[in-house]
Amino acid sequence: MQATPINPWNWSLNLGYSQAVSVVGASRQVICSGQTSVNGEGAPQHPGDMRAQIALSLDNLEAVLKAAGMDFSSVIRLGVYATDVDEALKNFDLFGARFGPVNNTPPMTLLGVTRLAMPSLMFEIEATAAD
């Protein structure tokens, strides 16, 4: 698979995402459900701590990708939901720490929501990956 970022402007690269990605030659797509800050039994973790919730959500996404034989370099789209967009954006360096080493800036949408499935959750991330 060849994923080519499309960026008519560079400003989004400074925020860690591309405007679009052209995917050629993908033989498989994996669509991941929203990953949140829950442990292996599905119990919410880190109430009130956006940074810790983002970190665990990314850990959980990484585990799902690994189970599919993929990693963050395979991600071609992200959907992000946060109950406090400003607080989430303060912690987006965590995305750079995960996606930067694999040189991937997938297209991303960040939406503010009033709540998630479990009231103590503040952050959720879904992904589409391809190889």
Side-chain angles (χ1 to χ4, degrees):
M1 173 198 75
Q2 180 181 355
T4 304
I6 299 170
N7 291 293
W9 317 280
N10 288 330
W11 63 264
S12 63
L13 294 173
N14 295 330
L15 298 172
Y17 71 95
S18 292
Q19 295 294 318
V21 64
S22 172
V23 179
V24 177
S27 60
R28 176 175 67 130
Q29 280 193 3
V30 174
I31 291 88
C32 303
S33 69
Q35 299 301 307
T36 60
S37 178
V38 296
N39 65 16
E41 288 74 47
Q45 304 294 300
H46 312 297
D49 187 341
M50 179 68 80
R51 186 168 187 83
Q53 287 200 18
I54 292 172
L56 184 51
S57 298
L58 287 166
D59 287 347
N60 290 341
L61 175 58
E62 185 173 38
V64 171
L65 292 168
K66 184 177 180 182
M70 297 179 164
D71 60 28
F72 286 121
S73 68
S74 304
V75 174
I76 59 171
R77 185 193 173 287
L78 294 171
V80 177
Y81 308 90
T83 59
D84 184 336
V85 170
D86 293 329
E87 191 62 26
L89 286 171
K90 289 178 190 174
N91 294 288
F92 261 47
D93 62 299
L94 294 171
F95 280 82
R98 301 296 184 93
F99 287 90
V102 296
N103 198 31
N104 189 8
T105 54
M108 176 191 310
T109 299
L110 169 60
L111 295 173
V113 297
T114 55
R115 68 164 274 191
L116 295 167
M118 295 177 219
S120 65
L121 296 176
M122 305 164 65
F123 185 86
E124 187 165 345
I125 183 170
E126 56 188 22
T128 301
D131 62 7

